[in-house]
Amino acid sequence: MIHIFKKGINDNTLLLLHGTGGDEHDLLDVGNIIDPNANILSVRGNVKEAEMNRFFRRLSPGVFDLEDLDVRTRELYDFINEASRKYGFNRKKVIAIGYSNGANIAASMLFTIENALLGAILLRPMVPRKDKELVTNSNTSIFIAAGLYDNICPPEETNELVSYLKVKNKEVRLEWIKANHRLTYDELLLIKEWYNERFI
Ligand code: MLT
């Protein structure tokens, strides 16, 4: 997969996953705010919708192609494993930061692959799928930043996602941000505090 890798000075690796129409450069500043000392693995989604990069296909806005989601989730997981061997980072200390479509593929990994991530920061996520029993991630801490006025992901969907994840993961923190689908600087500071308490 097309990506950027930057070596850091601590043992954590931030896996950065952009939103629809973005690329591997989009979340570099976000990663730098949250942990300027971590390794960065920022990946470009392999799917094109018109000219826009995505991590998996959708049939229409909010309606996901579940077969493709399965394949792409596994592809991303394999890529992380391969990258950890190539660049020599600690595979056990990967924390995903995904925005929108990138949050949805990170959530799909949490739903379907055991202990794939040490942490997941899901910015404006949706429920990736409802047709499978979730796997257990006993070590994974999750932070969800939902927008109170987000018209792409309604509040009921966020609450549904949290209720699924709470049963199978170590910890799920939900924060309602006074924002729409766009990220705010203040929420990144809140996330940084949460991150420092767990991973530094
Ligand atoms: C998705 O397709 O993953 C969601 O609708 C969010 C987005 O538009 O990227």
Side-chain angles (χ1 to χ4, degrees), residues 94-139:
V94 175
I95 298 132
I97 304 178
Y99 169 62
S100 194
N101 182 242
N104 294 342
I105 195 155
S108 168
M109 214 181 282
L110 297 173
F111 271 43
T112 57
I113 306 175
E114 244 170 80
N115 295 318
L117 300 166
L118 177 65
I121 295 164
L122 307 178
L123 308 167
R124 312 294 186 273
M126 300 169 82
V127 177
R129 63 189 315 145
K130 300 184 182 182
D131 60 330
K132 279 190 179 176
E133 167 85 3
L134 268 73
V135 299
T136 302
N137 292 303
S138 45
N139 293 325

Side-chain angles (χ1 to χ4, degrees), residues 151-167:
N151 54 5
I152 296 180
C153 180
E156 312 82 64
E157 178 139 357
T158 302
N159 290 328
E160 195 181 348
L161 177 65
V162 170
S163 65
Y164 287 136
L165 291 172
K166 269 198 167 153
V167 181

Side-chain angles (χ1 to χ4, degrees), residues 20 54 56 58 62 64 100-101 104 126:
T20 299
R54 284 179 56 84
F56 57 89
R58 61 181 165 183
F64 303 151
S100 194
N101 182 242
N104 294 342
M126 300 169 82

Side-chain angles (χ1 to χ4, degrees), residues 14-31:
L14 300 181
L15 170 71
L16 305 181
L17 305 167
H18 62 78
T20 299
D23 67 23
E24 65 280 15
H25 298 277
D26 286 17
L27 294 180
L28 293 176
D29 287 345
V30 169

Side-chain angles (χ1 to χ4, degrees), residues 176-194:
W176 288 103
I177 312 299
K178 285 192 185 126
N180 53 22
H181 203 62
R182 281 173 181 257
L183 301 180
T184 65
Y185 184 65
D186 284 354
E187 75 191 270
L188 298 182
L189 298 184
L190 203 62
I191 292 165
K192 185 180 173 74
E193 208 179 293
W194 173 88

